[in-house]
């Protein structure tokens, strides 16, 4: 995981080699999208190992982080089209890597109830992502079984958030 | 925050490990209700934990009759009542879909109509009512109609219908479940329940599934 992010160890500058001044932030952006293309849940994970190795404090100023967040949503949104294309050609749930944006890959997982789980990430092993998606799918089903949870609505449970982050730490 | 999360996970492991003796001693737990409270989060429970669990017909019939009485007070007209039952079934169906697919096939979804209908006919019926549905037929008159029949539907078994609402079909609840499953898998359709009594099975109910046009077009493309 450390090998691919050689430029981030130079710390401080925050402006990396990406053409948009994107920076080489080793973050993964995870979003669950409901049946009406509405986001149900989003989370950003920062790879712990590289964060520790960078020279103290925030490597990227807050303003740049906000930009990345909007960009993440755009990227995820455009990836939805790809998901819908592939959806009918396979009966697998894990749709592997469906799209690429600059250096980031987008993997998708489609649940039986047509909820899309999208993950924006840098190069990672497919197995790890598959395990992560399976974990999140299980958590989603458990949330869904709650009779007070309205399907297609935002998941605001803190316990859910904690579990997703735990799972991300384990697999990503 | 993380320490409390790990504390609850330890608690859930312990409660699962202790579940065998505690089931037998449930009455004693109920009497000391403040001493032993199961605070497992819904996210901690394993999905397969209640996989083979059965609910008694009596309990279900009681619950269903209460649901009927509840909706009866709040509607005017038979159509409305059937629609409300359909909505209740819908709520069951969306949850059943994800849960059953996860438990049964674990990472394969249905993309063809026939596969989906077969899944409903066998797996869904088996989990819900303990047996497979009695028949799955394709209508000869219309391309987009399919029928699933149940000779002895559990929902109607203990409901006696008075003369003035004789057109009511409690199968609307089952129709709601099926409609939710079809909708969830992106096969939007209109699902209705009809009673077609035959020899020996006066309560035989047929669920008619009328697929939307876009589903048929998609099927054509996929062939």
């Amino acid at each position: 995981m450390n090998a691919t992010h050689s430029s981030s160890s130079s710390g401080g500058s925050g402006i990396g080699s990406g053409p948009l001044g994107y920076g080489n932030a080793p973050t993964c952006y995870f979003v669950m999208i409901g049946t009406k293309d509405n986001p149900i849940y989003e989370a950003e994970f920062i790879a712990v190992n590289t964060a520790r190795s960078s020279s103290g404090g925030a490597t990227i100023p807050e303003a740049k982080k906000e930009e990345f967040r909007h960009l993440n949503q755009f990227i995820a949104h455009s990836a939805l089209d790809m998901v819908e294309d592939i959806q009918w050609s396979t009966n697998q749930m894990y749709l592997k890597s469906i799209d690429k944006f600059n250096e980031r890959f987008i993997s998708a997982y489609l649940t039986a109830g047509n909820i899309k789980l999208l993950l924006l990430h840098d190069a990672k092993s497919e197995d790890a992502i598959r395990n992560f998606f399976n974990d999140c799918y299980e958590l989603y089903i458990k949330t869904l079984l709650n009779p007070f949870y309205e399907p297609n609505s935002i998941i605001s449970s803190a316990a859910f958030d904690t579990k997703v982050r735990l799972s991300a730490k384990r697999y990503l | 925050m993380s320490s409390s999360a790990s504390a609850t996970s330890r608690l859930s492991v312990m409660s699962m490990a202790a579940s065998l003796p505690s089931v037998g001693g449930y009455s004693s737990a109920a009497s000391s209700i403040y001493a032993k409270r199961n605070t497992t989060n819904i996210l901690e429970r394993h999905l397969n934990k209640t996989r083979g669990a059965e609910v008694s017909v009596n309990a279900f019939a009681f619950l269903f009759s209460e649901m009927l009485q509840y909706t009866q007070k709040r509607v005017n007209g038979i159509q409305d009542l059937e629609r409300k039952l359909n909505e209740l079934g819908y709520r069951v169906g969306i949850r059943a879909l994800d849960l059953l697919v996860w438990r049964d096939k674990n990472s394969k979804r249905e993309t063809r109509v026939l596969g989906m209908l077969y899944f409903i006919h066998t797996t869904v019926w088996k989990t819900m009512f303990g047996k497979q549905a009695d028949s799955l037929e394709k209508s000869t008159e219309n391309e987009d109609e399919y029928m699933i029949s149940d000779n002895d539907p559990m929902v109607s078994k203990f409901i006696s219908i008075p003369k003035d609402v004789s057109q009511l079909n409690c199968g609307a609840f089952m129709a709601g479940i099926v409609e939710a499953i079809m909708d969830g898998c992106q096969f939007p359709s209109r699902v209705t329940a009809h009673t077609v009594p035959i020899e020996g099975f006066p309560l035989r109910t047929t669920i008619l599934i009328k697929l939307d046009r876009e589903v048929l077009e998609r099927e054509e493309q996929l062939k």
Side-chain angles (χ1 to χ4, degrees):
Chain A
M1 202 190 296
N2 284 327
T4 54
H5 307 301
S6 52
S7 62
S8 66
S9 61
S10 63
S13 67
I15 307 210
S17 56
L20 286 176
Y22 207 9
N24 249 340
T27 54
C28 299
Y29 174 72
F30 173 63
V31 61
M32 297 172 68
I33 300 181
T35 57
K36 296 186 179 51
D37 288 350
N38 53 321
I40 300 180
Y41 173 77
E42 344 175 63
E44 280 178 1
F45 312 120
I46 306 190
V48 175
N49 295 339
T50 14
R52 254 190 251 129
S53 70
S54 62
S55 54
T59 53
I60 302 171
E62 270 306 310
K64 274 267 182 284
K65 268 207 183 113
E66 280 306 311
E67 266 180 44
F68 298 162
R69 286 211 188 101
H70 296 179
L71 203 53
N72 286 338
Q73 286 203 342
F74 281 136
I75 301 175
H77 214 83
S78 67
L80 283 182
D81 288 334
M82 306 292 302
V83 173
E84 284 176 20
D85 280 341
I86 305 183
Q87 192 174 2
W88 298 108
S89 63
T90 169
N91 66 346
Q92 290 295 322
M93 281 192 181
Y94 178 46
L95 299 175
K96 306 204 184 160
S97 178
I98 55 170
D99 200 8
K100 193 171 181 310
F101 181 79
N102 294 342
E103 279 93 41
R104 296 177 122 205
F105 298 94
I106 297 147
S107 300
Y109 186 95
L110 194 59
T111 73
N114 208 39
I115 307 287
K116 297 145 187 111
L117 314 182
L118 294 180
L119 181 69
L120 269 72
H121 58 92
D122 307 307
K124 288 245 195 319
S125 84
E126 272 188 11
D127 270 340
I129 299 186
R130 186 201 308 254
N131 286 333
F132 173 65
F133 275 145
N134 280 333
D135 253 8
C136 288
Y137 185 32
E138 270 188 52
L139 288 172
Y140 171 71
I141 297 183
K142 290 174 191 173
T143 314
L144 185 64
L145 284 177
N146 180 359
F148 296 114
Y149 170 72
E150 198 59 44
N152 244 348
S153 61
I154 300 183
I155 301 180
S156 50
S157 154
F160 183 84
D161 187 52
T162 319
K163 295 221 113 189
V164 169
R165 285 181 192 281
L166 219 72
S167 168
K169 222 183 292 189
R170 191 157 29 154
Y171 292 119
L172 296 178
Chain B
M1 166 93 108
S2 60
S3 62
S4 67
S6 61
T8 46
S9 62
R10 259 183 272 131
L11 187 60
S12 70
V13 165
M14 274 176 6
S15 65
M16 280 206 211
S19 68
L20 215 44
S22 76
V23 162
Y26 188 66
S27 52
S28 64
S31 60
S32 63
I33 196 165
Y34 291 104
K36 199 198 269 186
R37 249 194 357 199
N38 189 4
T39 50
T40 354
N41 199 337
I42 189 178
L43 293 173
E44 313 270 351
R45 296 185 60 172
H46 194 259
L47 280 177
N48 276 337
K49 189 171 179 208
T50 50
R51 184 172 190 161
E54 290 183 346
V55 176
S56 65
V57 170
N58 308 333
F60 174 69
F62 184 53
L63 177 64
F64 190 69
S65 77
E66 280 304 312
M67 281 160 63
L68 260 185
Q69 290 176 38
Y70 177 86
T71 47
Q72 226 173 356
K73 291 200 188 79
R74 285 162 175 76
V75 295
N76 35 1
I78 301 178
Q79 302 287 47
D80 226 3
L81 183 52
E82 288 201 354
R83 205 173 48 82
K84 273 258 149 49
L85 284 179
N86 197 311
E87 279 171 29
L88 288 171
Y90 199 91
R91 289 170 58 91
V92 175
I94 17 182
R95 292 163 168 94
L97 170 62
D98 269 307
L99 185 61
L100 292 181
V101 170
W102 188 87
R103 276 183 183 169
D104 186 48
K105 286 179 286 187
N106 213 347
S107 89
K108 284 219 184 319
R109 6 176 292 274
E110 287 298 333
T111 45
R112 308 300 304 270
V113 168
L114 214 50
M116 196 64 228
L117 291 170
Y118 195 68
F119 171 71
I120 299 179
H121 175 270
T122 48
T123 317
V124 177
W125 237 255
K126 198 149 201 314
T127 334
M128 300 259 172
F129 307 119
K131 63 176 174 62
Q132 292 187 6
D134 291 304
S135 70
L136 167 63
E137 296 155 350
K138 184 173 156 57
S139 159
T140 41
E141 297 138 30
N142 302 326
E143 265 297 312
D144 53 353
E145 286 185 0
Y146 291 84
M147 294 167 287
I148 296 183
S149 308
D150 194 346
N151 286 340
D152 196 11
M154 196 179 299
V155 295
S156 319
K157 225 194 309 205
F158 298 106
I159 310 288
S160 62
I161 304 183
K163 282 256 172 17
D164 50 348
V165 281
S166 63
Q167 283 161 8
L168 172 68
N169 190 344
C170 296
F173 186 71
M174 295 194 297
I177 298 179
V178 175
E179 182 165 355
I181 297 183
M182 297 299 283
D183 267 353
C185 275
Q186 302 297 101
F187 297 111
S189 42
R190 265 182 309 139
V191 184
T192 48
H194 308 271
T195 321
V196 270
I198 59 172
E199 282 291 327
F201 300 115
L203 285 177
R204 185 168 189 263
T205 312
T206 303
I207 305 205
L208 184 65
I209 303 169
K210 194 171 167 62
L211 302 165
D212 278 359
R213 190 135 29 102
E214 54 178 62
V215 181
L216 288 178
E217 288 170 0
R218 200 175 54 211
E219 279 293 299
E220 277 302 313
Q221 284 178 2
L222 286 178
K223 266 203 197 118

